[in-house]
């Protein structure tokens, strides 16, 4: 027994002696009593700028509830931040905060750079991250936190535009343009000052490399405004009162129709789509592009300039499709022509503005209308007619949320790039399946893509 006891004691003694010979361990872990437990901000003011229906900017201020902003505290990394940025335009130069901590709290004053004892009534500038320090009550330990308030640096509701700098679009060739998307290609059809028509195209995944403009064959010079539609994978156009078809947009062949057309409106989106046009100031339609049927409904006014046609199924009933077409009115008219028809109806309905209706679709030079995120947007050159508040070319978009009845300038909607304002040159526009709006300018040769990521 004695030998056994001694054998146990000796290793213990050796272990104690070995441990005592080690250098003193360095304190690497901060005490758990030094920490920022919570952080929040009080209410803040956000400044908004909107464009009124008369084209002027107006600014107003709203209050953002500070308790709605949640902050993450990363103790290991020493960071405090809000994962969801707060609204663009929010003033964070004079922020009052609320926090709790185990220890004394100091922060580095953003202006004086001095260590300042924290007071909940302090107004702090958070345009740059602010360093806060928590010191233990015995002043033996401390921990730093870098507190950041994330704010959207650009308006998330604004349309993001990108110019394709290396685009080889043939500048100064066209006096009129029309853009049509077919499969993965964006085609631009243009007419020069002599009445000759050309076609150029680019891949939608590129937009910089454009094919050499090819002059149309099968059609001589024509005086009508350029109109091209896509119907069941073929292009159709109207020239000199004759309807033509093309598979490639360059080589055209005449179609012997039963009706002489004066305007080509567009195609519908039903399972069995129809093409609509105007003949002798009367609506006509066809399924085969040969036999045209009149619906015994006449236009009250002559169509002018561009014609935009939008057709899509109703969101409430996919079996019913609504087709809307918008065209320029006479140069003296304030509002454009807007017509609408459901596939379940036999007649078109004219959307008539009442008097000098400020909410009618504006009659703009080279008026273009696109269907974007289930809303209609109208834009173009200078305003026509006796408009009380003249519109500068390409300064704004008019939005319709009620199928072309009411058109307004709205905050937080699709908008044009500021460099477009005041331009006086031919252009073409189209919307691709990825949600990009293409703007192609015929004098400068610029090609732009814009996308609006927010909807409301």
């Amino acid at each position: 027994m004695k030998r056994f006891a001694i054998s146990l004691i000796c290793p213990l003694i050796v272990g104690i002696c070995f441990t005592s010979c080690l250098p003193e361990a360095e304190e690497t872990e901060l005490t758990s009593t030094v920490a920022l437990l919570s952080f929040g901000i009080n209410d803040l003011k956000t400044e908004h700028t909107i464009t009124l229906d008369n084209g002027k900017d107006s600014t107003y201020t709203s209050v953002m509830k500070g308790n709605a902003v949640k902050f993450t505290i990363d103790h290991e990394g020493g960071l405090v931040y809000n994962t969801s940025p707060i609204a663009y335009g929010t003033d964070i130069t004079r922020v009052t905060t609320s926090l709790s901590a185990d220890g004394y709290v100091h922060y580095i004053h953003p202006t004086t750079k001095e260590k300042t004892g924290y007071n909940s009534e302090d107004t702090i500038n958070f345009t740059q991250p602010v360093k806060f320090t928590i010191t233990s009550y015995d002043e033996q330990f401390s921990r730093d936190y870098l507190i950041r308030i994330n704010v959207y640096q650009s308006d998330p509701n604004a349309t993001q535009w990108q110019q394709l700098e290396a685009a080889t679009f043939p500048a100064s060739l066209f006096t009129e343009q029309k853009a049509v998307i077919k499969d993965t290609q964006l085609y631009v059809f243009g007419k020069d000052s002599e009445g000759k028509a050309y076609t150029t195209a680019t891949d939608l995944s590129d937009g910089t490399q454009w094919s050499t403009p090819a002059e149309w064959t099968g059609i001589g010079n024509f005086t009508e405004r350029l109109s091209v539609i896509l119907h069941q994978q073929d292009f159709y156009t109207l020239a000199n009162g004759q309807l033509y078809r093309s598979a490639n947009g360059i080589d055209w062949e005449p179609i012997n129709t039963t009706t002489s057309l004066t305007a080509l409106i567009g195609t519908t989106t039903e399972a069995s789509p129809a093409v609509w046009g105007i003949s002798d100031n009367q609506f006509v339609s066809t399924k085969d592009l040969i036999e045209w049927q009149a619906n015994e409904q006449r236009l009250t006014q002559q169509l002018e300039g561009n014609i935009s046609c939008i057709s899509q199924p109703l969101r409430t009933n996919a079996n019913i499709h609504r087709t809307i077409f918008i065209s320029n009115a006479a140069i003296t008219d304030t509002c454009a022509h807007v017509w609408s028809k459901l596939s379940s109806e036999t007649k078109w309905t004219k959307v008539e503005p009442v008097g000098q209706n400020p909410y009618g679709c504006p009659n703009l030079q080279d008026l273009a209308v696109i269907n974007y995120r289930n809303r209609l947007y109208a834009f173009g050159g200078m305003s026509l007619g006796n408009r009380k508040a003249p519109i500068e070319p390409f300064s704004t978009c008019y939005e319709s949320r009620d199928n072309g009845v009411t058109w307004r300038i709205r905050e937080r909607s699709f908008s044009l790039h500021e460099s477009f304002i005041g331009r006086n040159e031919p252009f073409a526009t189209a919307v691709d399946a990825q949600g990009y709006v293409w703007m192609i300018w015929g004098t400068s040769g610029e090609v732009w893509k814009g996308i609006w990521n927010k909807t409301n």
Side-chain angles (χ1 to χ4, degrees), residues 190-215:
K191 192 173 72 170
D192 65 15
S193 58
E194 298 180 356
K196 296 179 181 179
Y198 299 82
T199 300
T200 181
T202 187
D203 195 283
L204 287 169
S205 63
D206 177 25
T208 59
Q209 300 301 312
W210 291 78
S211 61
T212 302
E215 185 176 351

Side-chain angles (χ1 to χ4, degrees), residues 106-355:
H106 296 81
Y107 66 94
I108 302 301
H109 195 281
T111 303
T112 64
K113 306 302 180 183
E114 295 179 353
K115 188 175 181 180
T116 305
Y118 172 76
N119 187 308
S120 61
E121 296 182 357
D122 291 346
T123 57
I124 305 174
N125 186 345
F126 277 95
T127 53
Q128 297 294 330
V130 179
K131 179 181 176 182
F132 279 67
T133 300
I134 315 300
T135 304
S136 62
Y137 294 115
D138 61 7
E139 299 186 352
Q140 296 299 307
F141 305 99
S142 65
R143 177 177 290 179
D144 294 332
Y145 293 89
L146 198 63
I147 300 180
R148 175 186 291 107
I149 299 179
N150 292 319
V151 182
Y152 278 114
Q153 296 303 303
S154 60
D155 190 347
N157 294 291
T159 307
Q160 305 300 317
W161 285 94
Q162 173 193 9
Q163 182 183 1
L164 306 182
E165 297 285 355
T168 60
F169 185 78
S172 304
L173 175 62
F174 304 136
T175 58
E176 297 176 20
Q177 292 181 186
K178 174 74 174 182
V180 178
I181 291 176
K182 178 183 178 183
D183 299 327
T184 61
Q185 296 286 307
L186 172 61
Y187 291 78
V188 173
F189 305 94
K191 192 173 72 170
D192 65 15
S193 58
E194 298 180 356
K196 296 179 181 179
Y198 299 82
T199 300
T200 181
T202 187
D203 195 283
L204 287 169
S205 63
D206 177 25
T208 59
Q209 300 301 312
W210 291 78
S211 61
T212 302
E215 185 176 351
W216 287 7
T217 66
I219 301 178
N221 296 7
F222 57 97
T223 57
E224 294 105 327
R225 190 169 185 86
L226 182 68
S227 63
V228 180
I229 68 170
L230 182 68
H231 175 68
Q232 296 181 331
Q233 294 300 99
D234 282 332
F235 298 108
Y236 292 85
T237 193
L238 190 64
N240 304 315
Q242 173 71 54
L243 186 64
Y244 290 84
R245 174 172 50 208
S246 174
N248 61 8
I250 301 171
D251 304 308
W252 299 85
E253 59 179 4
I255 301 176
N256 295 321
T257 64
T258 60
T259 302
S260 177
L261 299 175
T262 55
L264 191 60
I265 293 175
T267 185
T268 60
T269 52
E270 297 97 327
S272 179
V275 174
W276 284 85
I278 302 295
S279 176
D280 191 23
N281 214 34
Q282 188 174 17
F283 287 101
V284 292
S285 65
T286 182
K287 296 286 187 179
D288 60 8
L289 277 301
I290 297 176
E291 296 289 337
W292 292 78
Q293 303 295 324
N295 73 342
E296 299 181 356
Q297 183 181 7
R298 293 186 178 276
L299 291 171
T300 56
Q301 294 173 300
Q302 187 69 33
L303 302 182
E304 305 283 347
N306 288 340
I307 297 178
S308 299
C309 183
I310 294 97
S311 186
Q312 63 182 357
L314 301 183
R315 283 182 285 178
T316 55
N317 187 343
N319 294 320
I320 299 177
H321 294 238
R322 175 183 279 110
T323 301
I324 302 171
F325 81 85
I326 301 99
S327 78
N328 279 114
I331 195 170
T332 56
D333 290 339
T334 299
C335 294
H337 295 304
V338 180
W339 291 81
S340 175
K341 192 184 86 66
L342 297 177
S343 57
S344 57
E345 300 172 335
T346 58
K347 291 187 176 182
W348 291 83
T349 299
K350 175 70 181 298
V351 180
E352 293 280 5
V354 179

Side-chain angles (χ1 to χ4, degrees), residues 375-450:
R375 300 173 189 175
L376 303 182
Y377 292 94
F379 51 88
M382 67 178 184
S383 57
L384 305 176
N386 186 24
R387 197 171 189 88
K388 292 181 179 179
I391 304 166
E392 192 173 3
F394 304 101
S395 60
T396 189
C397 291
Y398 279 73
E399 179 190 79
S400 177
R401 302 183 182 182
D402 54 8
N403 303 308
V405 177
T406 305
W407 301 78
R408 297 175 184 267
I409 302 173
R410 297 184 186 272
E411 180 190 11
R412 299 183 177 183
S413 65
F414 174 77
S415 59
L416 300 175
H417 193 269
E418 59 183 9
S419 70
F420 300 168
I421 298 175
R423 293 197 180 195
N424 181 24
E425 60 180 298
F427 75 101
T429 184
V431 182
D432 66 25
Q434 303 301 316
Y436 284 96
V437 179
W438 292 74
M439 288 288 288
I440 304 99
W441 299 93
T443 300
S444 63
E446 294 179 15
V447 178
W448 292 74
K449 289 172 62 177

Side-chain angles (χ1 to χ4, degrees), residues 7-84:
S7 65
L8 288 175
I9 293 171
C10 289
L12 289 172
I13 296 173
V14 173
I16 293 170
C17 293
F18 179 76
T19 302
S20 64
C21 293
L22 290 175
E24 185 177 349
E26 183 177 354
E27 179 69 49
T28 59
E29 182 177 351
L30 295 177
T31 173
S32 61
T33 59
V34 180
L36 181 65
L37 303 179
S38 66
F39 179 82
I41 60 176
N42 295 322
D43 295 351
L44 297 175
K45 293 182 178 180
T46 302
E47 187 175 274
H48 308 269
T49 300
I50 61 173
T51 303
L52 303 177
D53 290 320
N54 61 10
K56 296 182 179 180
D57 290 340
S58 177
T59 302
Y60 70 93
T61 301
S62 66
V63 176
M64 187 204 70
K65 294 296 183 181
N67 57 13
V69 183
K70 306 302 179 184
F71 285 85
T72 296
I73 300 178
D74 177 5
H75 295 288
E76 183 176 352
L79 298 174
V80 180
Y81 54 92
N82 53 314
T83 54
S84 298

